[in-house]
């Protein structure tokens, strides 16, 4: 790594390791602080026949018990479509739906008050699995379609076809910091909201709406989140709204910090998908047509289901050129908590389908799946238009493929895997190479905007506010680097303030991997304004000395110089002081909108993405077919982040995103029972990866010398794309299972590939094998 | 009999005396986590799950190790009741660094390494990571990667993917230990020794809580007889969940963790004797060479934080169908020694557990010792635990097999005990019968496995479906054969 010594560590690292970072639950609040608690439904679908809150209200230490009728504003938290109530009113539509709110002097009292609440339900028929919802055609919204070429015709002339159903599971975000909000009532209608939210502007809007006040009366401040991963894009709004209602009702500060199990039960998850697919391909393995129906379990309300489905549809091609492609997306209504954003935002669900198709084609043709993948990659000059009409520019797939084959010594690994499997009956190895092509931008085009506020104070220090939120991803660290390089001053003079709706208004969520892209440009815009003002001031002041030179003043190494002004060297703080005395404004707002992106939802065509991020990975695994356990032996990842603003941060995102994807693909299993109750509601049954679940050999490399045109410092977004490198692990496990039947049988396979699923799949192949032998 | 009504421990280099009656704010079942978070200076300690599954609340407990030094143990502060830290030094993330004269933090090697290796992202797991890494640092120089992973397997991180954290730990533990804890060791030992000298029973009574913590066996037996309704705890890693997860009222607790008589591991020609109050980690370390099958099971028992608190007596008393050590104790014909007033009984573990979380303990008895017959050299023992995640998970199915083969490769003795297949850890008697006196072959194993379906009707639950459990049970028997039916066999026969 070049210049490794001056690349910043995370700007909060020192605070983190000394336990001094402040999260909302750590804030010192006055003694009047009350603790809020949510009473939630224990029925998946029911009419509320009656309830009685009196006993709870009378408990010593209880300050308020609220129901839907106590909401002064609108009982609504739906972010896009207004179909999600803040508190259940008359009926409940999922297990875990908020019904009542309690505020008390401490957590335990609030808990005991909840126990005293009496409620009587009349159960209604509940839809608790996606198949039933499909059978009932219970759609949350009209279905969507994107189509290119002539799919039906392509199938009539097809040589080979492959057809099937793939199920991918839900995923719990498991941010270490559970949902938290602290609301402090001010004078009149004012409400100060501290919320662990990726979207402070929306939190502000939702709080204002439920309180029945105007947005300029609500301020949302967000310093840092203890992880979010999409789980605080909309879900954080709910907690803030609940805390705000309690704060308004009691006149006291109220904090809600969900207990882990409650968080798992109440909040939405990654959408489970049931995908039907059919593909046609040539005898070489070239895909000629793909017909996919994506069915998502949206839960009981829309939330962000439509943009999530849209992204899934945009990624059914992954890295492959498919001339005839039709994808239909349906969002089903079930009586589960409304599913929501999660790193990848539908992309992983869409890509899992085409990766399964390729894997199956390779097995049918008895070829290496990596070769089939290469054969189908988007071309650099031709075969480069996606099914939604966007040209795949700056395609790095071939470069990645060739480099990765070499780095991983893929062919040797392949031979070694095959040799091992010939010699072992019960232990099997598997190998897979998978690519990632991920579109960067909010697919709802208007969301691609950002704002910033840059203040320079008289001592030369800089305070930056921008619309992005810090959830651990290092956004603020990158923003400091951007500001430092533009102002030419050391990073120690620059701080990023908490994200605050009163400083930068009308922001978009920090989501879609776009935080640095959008906010970086907005910060640069603001700094550009200040630099222009300072330069004008200097040009006037030194007009007689620079004699009309058009060359700019240079801001570098904490000083300002000018190429035509030898001996002139002004320290940055001195410049600022002088500018102040000369009545120059040292504060500026910045704004950015991504240019030239659009998408016509009716036609299913457009250019929804500013650019694509690429990456590729190889994994080798070992499975024990008697226990169903697996071990990742080796993973090689090569990833494209353009010119990295901070390689340390980016590498951390790649590694962390990959392991989170591995969790989704292996041990993280969300199970609901037939009554719509979450069975895996706690970390004792819901298993995210631990330290021993990472690859024994783990190589991550960022592609070098690949500047990305038209972005901040020629970088690329990095938050979501690495998640999907986990497919190399998932399909390596499948390859190992397939080896049990010497690759003659297609294994039953889905996401997650738990030890249970592996065992069942192996068992089935063994039976098929026996059947064949007996014939 | 004089009693102590307050507890004392070291925090922030001071001996803290906590008198529950005076403080009002705390009860004896207040967790150490909630206590710390109520203080202004210890909010670095985080609640990530409140049930010992994530490690964000990890703190370190130091106590004299009996060899003139201090032992440092990482533990989950969310699962520890306040009186359990009496007589110990409580160390949190805030205590680990030093400060220069301007009060700027001077990082401890583990903290510095985490920064340098970019081992933090959102930072919420970090205080617990730092605590676990600190305990590792105090206990190991240049540890192997496996030791590092083991020390961190109780700490979940959702951001980094762990590689950077492991590298940081490996790096930090290369540095010679000369931190301020080493430099202040003598003073801490002196302070703690002073606390230990008082062996008067701790009796805390607040509102509707009674907490009894004796330090002698005589006193413990007396309290047990007088308070048969008191819930007995030692490490409380299971019982604490009743409070943190289920919010149950625990009116009366008898804490046996102060009894040094129950913290022992002894060995004679015939048996290994384990005190009921011995921690799982102490047992694991002891058994690595002496009883590898038990060490193996304990290696995947909870996390290091859990093993540092959990005891063999506790695992036995929980009598859970998925209690990790129980199949092995039954298969090895272990007995539990129960002490009552002026009497003792030795009961086979198999008979001691009478149903789902039920035991045959009498109202005046304490579990004192676990007596494990020492396996002769010709005894083959294997234990297995299947779970969704290998580490820090509860078993779906577990099993222990004990076998003696004849020179003719016939099964002379066989014990097959499964966990997770019935309401309690249970012997597969019908399968044993099939194997007995037969040639130890794959065909025989298949026949025995067929008996399992008659013997067990396992449940479907969040961990696995019933038929998967059955496949697992069958496969484990086959795996046992695979591991013993060929190479091992020859060695064993030679030593027969």
């Amino acid at each position: 790594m070049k210049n490794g010594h001056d690349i910043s560590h995370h700007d909060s690292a020192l605070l983190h390791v000394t336990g001094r970072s402040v999260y909302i639950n750590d804030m010192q609040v006055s003694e009047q602080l009350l603790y809020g608690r949510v009473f939630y439904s224990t029925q998946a679908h029911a009419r509320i026949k009656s309830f009685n809150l009196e006993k709870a209200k009378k408990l010593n230490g209880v300050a308020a018990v609220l129901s839907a009728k106590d909401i002064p504003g609108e009982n609504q938290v739906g972010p896009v479509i207004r179909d999600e109530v803040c508190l259940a009113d008359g009926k409940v539509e999922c297990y875990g739906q908020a019904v009542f709110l309690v505020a008390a002097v401490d957590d335990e009292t609030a808990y005991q008050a909840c126990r005293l609440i009496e409620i009587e339900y009349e159960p209604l028929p509940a839809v608790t699995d996606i198949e039933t919802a499909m059978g009932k055609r219970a759609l949350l919204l009209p279905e969507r379609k994107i189509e290119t070429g002539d799919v039906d015709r392509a199938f009539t002339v097809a040589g080979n076809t492959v057809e099937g159903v793939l199920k991918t599971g839900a995923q719990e975000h498991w941010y270490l910091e559970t949902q938290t909000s602290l609301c402090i009532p001010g004078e009149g209608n004012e409400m100060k909201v501290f919320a662990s939210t990726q979207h402070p502007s929306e939190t502000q809007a939702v709080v204002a709406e439920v309180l029945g006040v105007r947005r300029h009366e609500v301020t949302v401040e967000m310093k840092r989140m203890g992880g979010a991963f999409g789980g605080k894009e909309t879900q954080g709004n709910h907690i803030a709204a609940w805390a705000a209602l309690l704060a308004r009702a009691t006149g006291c500060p109220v904090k809600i910090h969900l207990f882990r199990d409650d968080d798992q039960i109440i909040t939405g998850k990654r959408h489970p998908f049931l995908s039907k697919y059919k593909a046609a391909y040539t005898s070489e393995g070239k895909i000629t047509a793909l017909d996919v129906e994506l069915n998502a379990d949206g839960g009981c309300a829309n939330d962000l289901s439509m943009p999530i489905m849209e992204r899934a549809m945009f990624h059914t091609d992954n890295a492959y050129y498919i001339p005839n492609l039709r994808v239909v997306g349906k969002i089903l209504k079930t009586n589960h908590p409304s599913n929501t954003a999660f790193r990848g935002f539908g992309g992983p669900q869409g890509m899992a389908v085409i990766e399964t198709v390729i894997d199956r084609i390779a097995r049918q043709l008895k070829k290496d799946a990596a070769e089939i993948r290469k054969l189908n990659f988007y071309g650099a000059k031709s075969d480069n238009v996606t099914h939604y009409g966007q040209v795949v520019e700056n395609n790095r797939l071939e470069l990645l493929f060739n480099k990765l084959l070499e780095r991983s010594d893929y062919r040797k690994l392949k031979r070694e895997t095959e040799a091992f499997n010939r010699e072992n009956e019960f232990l099997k190895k598997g190998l897979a190479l998978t690519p990632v092509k991920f579109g960067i931008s909010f697919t709802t085009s208007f969301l691609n905007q950002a704002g910033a506020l840059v203040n320079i104070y008289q001592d030369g220090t800089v305070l930056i506010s921008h619309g992005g939120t810090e959830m651990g991803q290092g956004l603020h660290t990158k923003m400091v680097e951007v500001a430092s390089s533009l102002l030419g001053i050391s990073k120690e003079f620059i701080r990023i303030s908490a994200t605050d709706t009163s400083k930068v208004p009308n922001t978009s969520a920090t989501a879609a991997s776009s935080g640095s892209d959008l906010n970086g440009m907005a910060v640069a815009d603001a700094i550009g304004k200040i630099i222009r003002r300072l330069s004008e001031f200097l040009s006037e002041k030194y007009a007689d000395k620079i004699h009309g030179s058009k060359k700019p003043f240079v801001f570098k190494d904490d000083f300002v110089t000018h190429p035509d002004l030898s001996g002139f060297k002004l320290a940055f703080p001195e410049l600022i002081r002088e500018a102040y005395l000369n009545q120059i404004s040292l504060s500026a707002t910045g704004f950015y909108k991504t240019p030239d992106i659009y998408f016509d939802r009716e036609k299913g065509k457009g250019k929804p993405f500013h650019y694509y991020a690429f990456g590729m990975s190889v994994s080798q695994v070992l499975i024990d077919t008697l226990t169903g356990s697996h071990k990742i032996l080796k993973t090689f990842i090569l990833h494209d982040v353009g010119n990295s603003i901070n390689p340390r941060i980016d590498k951390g995102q790649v590694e962390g995103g990959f392991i989170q994807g591995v969790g989704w693909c292996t041990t993280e299993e969300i199970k609901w029972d037939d009554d719509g109750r979450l069975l895996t509601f706690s970390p004792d049954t819901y298993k995210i990866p631990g330290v021993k679940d990472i690859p024994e050999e783990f190589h991550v490399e960022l592609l070098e010398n690949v500047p990305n045109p038209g972005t901040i410092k020629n970088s690329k977004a990095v938050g979501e794309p690495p998640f999907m490198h986990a497919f190399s692990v998932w399909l390596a496990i499948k390859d190992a299972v397939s080896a049990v039947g010497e690759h003659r049988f297609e294994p039953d396979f889905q996401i997650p590939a738990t030890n249970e699923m592996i065992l069942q799949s192996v068992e089935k192949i063994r039976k098929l094998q026996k059947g064949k032998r007996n014939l | 009999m004089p009693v102590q009504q307050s507890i004392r421990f070291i925090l922030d280099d001071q001996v803290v005396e906590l008198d529950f009656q005076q403080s009002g704010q705390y009860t004896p079942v207040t967790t150490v986590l909630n206590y710390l978070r109520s203080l202004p200076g210890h909010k670095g300690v985080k609640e990530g799950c409140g049930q010992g599954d994530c490690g964000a609340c990890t703190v370190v407990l130091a106590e004299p190790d009996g060899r003139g030094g201090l032992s440092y143990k990482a533990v989950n502060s969310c699962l520890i009741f306040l009186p359990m830290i009496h007589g110990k030094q409580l160390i949190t993330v805030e205590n680990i660094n030093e400060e220069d004269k301007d009060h700027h933090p001077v990082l401890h090697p583990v903290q510095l390494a985490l920064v340098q290796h970019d081992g933090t992202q959102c930072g919420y797991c970090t205080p617990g990571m730092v605590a676990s890494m600190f305990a590792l640092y105090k206990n190991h120089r240049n540890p192997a990667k496996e030791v590092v992973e083991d020390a961190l397997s109780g700490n979940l991180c959702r951001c980094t993917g762990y590689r950077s954290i492991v590298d940081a730990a490996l790096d930090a533990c290369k540095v010679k230990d000369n931190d301020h804890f080493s430099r202040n060791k003598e003073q801490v030992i002196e302070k703690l020794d002073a606390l230990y000298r008082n062996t008067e029973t701790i009796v805390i009574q607040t509102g509707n809580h009674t907490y009894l913590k004796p330090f002698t066996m005589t006193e413990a037996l007396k309290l047990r007889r007088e308070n048969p309704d008191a819930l007995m705890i030692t490490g409380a890693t299971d019982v604490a969940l009743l409070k943190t997860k289920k919010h149950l009222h625990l009116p009366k607790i008898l804490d046996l963790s102060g009894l040094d008589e129950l913290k022992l591991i002894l060995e004679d020609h015939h048996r290994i004797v384990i005190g009921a109050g011995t921690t799982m980690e102490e047992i694991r370390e002891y058994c690595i060479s002496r009883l590898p099958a038990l060490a193996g099971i304990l290696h995947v028992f909870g996390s290091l934080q859990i093993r540092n608190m959990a005891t063999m007596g506790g695992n036995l008393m929980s009598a859970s169908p998925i209690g990790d050590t129980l199949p092995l104790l039954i298969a090895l014909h272990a007995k539990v020694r129960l002490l009552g007033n002026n009497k003792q009984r030795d009961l086979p573990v198999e008979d001691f557990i009478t149903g789902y979380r039920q035991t045959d303990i009498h109202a005046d008895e304490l579990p004192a010792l676990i007596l494990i017959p020492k396996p002769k050299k010709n005894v083959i023992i294997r234990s297995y635990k299947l779970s969704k995640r290998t580490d820090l998970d509860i078993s779906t199915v577990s099993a222990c097999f004990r076998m003696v083969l004849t020179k003719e490769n016939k099964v002379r003795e066989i014990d097959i005990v499964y966990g997770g297949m019935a309401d309690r850890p249970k012997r597969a008697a019908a399968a044993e019968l099939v194997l007995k006196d037969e040639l130890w072959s794959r065909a025989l194993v298949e026949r025995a496995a067929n008996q399992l379906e008659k013997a067990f009707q396992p449940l479907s639950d969040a961990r696995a479906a019933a038929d998967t459990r059955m496949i697992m049970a069958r496969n484990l028997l086959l795996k046992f054969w695979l591991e013993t039916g060929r190479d091992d066999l020859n060695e064993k026969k030679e030593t027969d």
Side-chain angles (χ1 to χ4, degrees), chain B residues 217-482:
Chain B
M217 221 32 216
T218 321
E219 188 65 7
L221 285 165
K222 179 169 147 281
L223 289 169
R224 171 73 172 144
R225 190 178 65 238
E226 293 167 358
N227 302 278
D229 54 334
L231 186 61
M232 288 186 283
I233 63 167
T234 42
T237 52
D238 195 24
V239 166
L241 299 176
L242 299 177
K243 166 86 177 140
T244 64
K245 257 173 99 94
K246 299 195 170 160
H247 294 264
L248 294 187
H249 177 51
L250 306 175
K252 197 187 270 188
I253 285 178
L254 175 57
D255 176 353
L256 304 175
S257 66
L259 301 173
D260 286 342
E261 289 102 317
L262 299 186
K263 296 173 192 166
L264 56 89
I265 309 180
L266 301 170
E267 194 177 331
D268 61 21
H269 288 304
H270 307 293
R271 60 193 185 184
I272 296 172
V273 178
I274 297 174
T278 316
T279 68
M280 292 303 200
E281 181 60 13
E282 287 161 339
I283 300 168
R284 187 189 71 81
E285 282 174 5
Y286 183 87
C287 288
I288 290 171
S289 57
R290 294 169 177 96
L291 191 54
L294 181 53
I297 276 293
L298 293 179
H299 190 74
V300 286
F301 182 102
S303 60
L304 181 57
Q305 287 97 313
I306 300 283
R307 293 199 297 275
N308 276 334
M309 291 301 293
T311 62
M312 189 65 119
N315 203 230
L316 194 58
M317 289 297 291
S318 294
S320 163
I322 42 181
D324 278 340
T325 65
L326 304 181
L328 179 132
L329 293 180
I330 293 172
L332 266 55
H333 310 278
K335 289 181 178 171
V336 54
R337 174 162 299 169
L338 302 158
L339 286 190
N341 288 275
N342 305 319
K343 65 167 188 181
Q344 72 176 47
R345 319 188 267 158
D346 289 352
L347 208 60
V349 170
E350 189 165 11
D351 301 335
F352 179 66
I353 297 168
T354 55
Y356 180 75
R357 288 185 171 265
Q358 299 287 315
T359 68
D360 182 30
I361 194 157
H362 296 169
D364 64 343
E365 286 177 332
L366 296 176
L369 302 173
I370 289 92
L371 315 165
I372 306 175
K374 221 173 182 178
K376 292 197 181 109
K377 278 186 176 171
N378 63 344
V379 178
I380 301 167
I381 306 165
R382 289 286 188 282
S383 52
Y384 306 95
K385 170 177 171 175
L386 301 189
S387 51
K388 208 175 277 178
R389 188 173 66 199
T390 309
D391 293 275
L392 188 54
D393 199 353
I394 292 163
S395 66
T396 310
V397 169
S398 62
C400 184
F401 306 102
R402 177 189 170 281
M403 182 171 70
V404 177
L405 292 173
T406 65
K407 281 179 183 156
E408 295 75 35
N409 202 28
K410 283 187 176 169
V411 179
R412 190 161 74 202
E413 293 174 30
I414 180 80
D415 294 273
I416 302 175
V417 184
Y418 284 98
M421 294 295 286
D423 66 343
R424 70 193 88 167
K426 201 174 160 196
R427 180 180 294 276
E432 289 173 356
L433 214 61
V434 170
L435 296 176
K436 191 95 182 5
D437 300 326
E438 297 290 326
L439 195 67
W440 183 230
S441 68
R442 188 165 173 177
L444 177 71
V445 165
E446 301 272 349
R447 271 203 290 138
N450 289 338
Q451 295 298 321
L452 297 176
E453 284 174 39
K454 291 174 200 156
F456 296 113
Q457 288 85 39
L459 290 176
S460 289
D461 64 9
R463 297 195 175 88
D467 67 324
T468 304
R469 283 199 161 87
M470 198 53 85
I471 294 172
M472 288 173 167
R474 291 184 65 109
N475 284 358
L476 287 182
L477 193 56
L478 182 58
K479 196 169 175 62
F480 176 54
W481 176 81
L482 279 170

Side-chain angles (χ1 to χ4, degrees), chain A residues 9-10 13-14 16-20 23 25-26 28 108 111 115 171-174 176-177 225-227 229 257 259-261 342 425-426 471-472 624-627 648 651-653 655-656 659-660 667-669 671 679-680 682-685 687-694 696 698 755-756 759-760 763, chain B residues 37 40 43-44 46-51 53-54 56 93-94 97 99 105 107 111 114-116 118 120-126 130 145 149-150 152-153 156 158-163 166 244-247 299 386-389 391-394 442 461-465 467-468 471-472 475 478-479 482:
Chain A
H9 299 290
H10 195 287
L14 194 73
H16 290 336
V17 299
T18 53
R20 284 156 177 87
Y23 303 79
N25 199 28
D26 306 333
Q28 307 280 6
E108 192 56 33
Y111 182 89
R115 281 195 171 166
Q171 186 178 23
E172 164 60 42
H173 301 83
W174 235 88
L176 263 284
E177 178 210 33
M225 284 171 273
F229 317 113
H257 172 70
F259 184 65
R260 173 63 60 184
D261 296 4
F342 197 141
E425 182 182 358
F426 295 103
M471 58 197 93
D624 181 335
T625 62
L626 290 178
T627 64
R648 291 176 179 277
K651 201 175 170 202
Q653 286 296 299
E655 292 177 352
I659 293 299
Q660 208 169 62
T667 56
E668 294 184 38
E669 185 176 32
K671 275 190 189 174
L679 288 172
T680 47
S682 146
D684 69 350
T685 48
K687 296 296 173 186
I688 70 167
V691 68
K692 293 192 203 172
D693 299 312
I694 72 171
E696 280 178 1
F698 192 9
N755 61 337
E756 175 168 33
L759 273 182
Q760 292 282 5
E763 192 77 357
Chain B
R37 288 196 54 85
K43 291 187 190 298
K46 297 286 183 276
E47 177 181 298
C49 72
Q51 48 198 300
D53 267 311
C54 79
V93 64
E94 291 92 348
N97 61 280
E99 284 186 351
L107 297 185
Q111 294 170 314
L114 265 178
V115 173
Q116 285 177 339
D118 304 289
T120 85
Q121 286 185 23
C122 86
Y124 214 78
C125 76
T126 309
V130 167
K145 194 174 164 207
E149 287 175 342
D150 208 47
L152 300 179
S153 68
L156 297 180
R158 193 53 153 166
C159 296
T160 62
Y162 302 103
R163 195 272 317 153
V166 173
T244 64
K245 257 173 99 94
K246 299 195 170 160
H247 294 264
H299 190 74
L386 301 189
S387 51
K388 208 175 277 178
R389 188 173 66 199
D391 293 275
L392 188 54
D393 199 353
I394 292 163
R442 188 165 173 177
D461 64 9
R463 297 195 175 88
D467 67 324
T468 304
I471 294 172
M472 288 173 167
N475 284 358
L478 182 58
K479 196 169 175 62
L482 279 170

Side-chain angles (χ1 to χ4, degrees), chain A residues 289-330:
Chain A
L290 178 66
D291 193 2
V292 178
E293 180 189 294
L294 301 172
N295 297 282
D297 178 348
C300 62
N302 268 283
D303 189 76
L304 299 172
S305 295
M306 185 42 82
I308 287 164
M309 175 52 81
E310 192 167 61
R311 183 166 284 274
M313 294 167 75
F314 284 142
H315 287 81
T316 37
D317 58 340
N318 191 11
Y320 313 108
Y321 174 69
I322 301 164
N324 305 290
L325 192 159
R326 173 166 58 217
V327 53
V328 171
K330 298 178 186 177

Side-chain angles (χ1 to χ4, degrees), chain A residues 325-527:
Chain A
L325 192 159
R326 173 166 58 217
V327 53
V328 171
K330 298 178 186 177
I331 301 158
L332 284 310
K333 178 169 177 165
T334 63
N335 293 106
H336 288 152
S338 183
N339 286 316
T340 193
F342 197 141
R343 202 177 202 164
F345 205 73
Q349 292 97 317
M351 281 164 55
V353 179
I354 183 65
E355 290 307 327
T356 295
V357 166
I358 298 224
D359 180 75
R360 292 191 60 181
I361 292 173
R363 191 169 293 103
Q364 290 189 1
L365 294 177
K366 301 196 186 309
K367 287 187 176 178
D368 181 356
E371 295 303 326
I372 305 292
R373 290 191 162 87
K374 181 170 186 274
L375 186 67
N376 285 287
F377 281 156
Y378 277 109
K381 298 259 157 51
S382 60
D383 294 350
N384 61 353
V385 182
T386 64
H387 52 298
Y388 47 89
Q390 177 159 355
V391 176
V392 179
E393 292 173 302
N394 304 310
N395 180 344
R396 314 236 194 266
L397 291 165
E398 200 176 325
L399 172 68
L400 286 163
F401 185 83
N402 293 334
K403 274 202 166 175
L404 185 63
L405 245 51
E406 180 203 313
R407 290 283 196 282
S408 62
D409 209 345
Y410 178 83
R411 294 199 167 82
K412 191 176 155 202
L413 273 182
K414 183 91 187 156
R415 285 194 301 275
E416 187 246 313
T417 302
E418 286 166 356
F420 179 91
N421 289 341
R422 277 192 298 275
E423 286 157 20
N424 288 277
E425 182 182 358
F426 295 103
L427 295 177
K428 295 289 176 190
K429 284 186 181 179
L431 181 69
L433 173 151
T434 55
V436 173
K437 167 188 129 284
F438 196 79
I440 302 299
S441 289
F442 288 100
T443 59
T444 302
S445 299
F446 73 80
L447 294 175
N448 295 289
Q449 57 173 305
L453 171 67
V454 175
N455 295 338
I456 304 181
Y457 297 97
Q458 289 176 57
D459 62 353
T461 59
V462 179
L463 185 69
I464 296 174
S465 306
H466 61 84
T469 54
E470 176 66 36
M471 58 197 93
Q473 83 278 42
L475 172 60
H476 289 350
T477 314
K478 285 187 174 179
M479 294 304 97
V480 169
E481 310 226 7
V482 168
S484 161
S485 71
L486 292 174
L487 287 167
I489 59 171
S490 314
K491 293 166 199 160
E492 60 177 303
F493 296 117
I494 305 168
R495 283 191 71 225
I496 307 284
S497 85
T499 312
D500 186 328
T501 55
S502 68
K503 288 182 178 155
V504 179
N506 308 318
T507 53
S508 292
T510 307
S513 310
S514 67
S516 299
D517 281 14
L518 298 177
N519 294 293
M521 285 297 213
V523 167
D525 182 45
I527 289 174

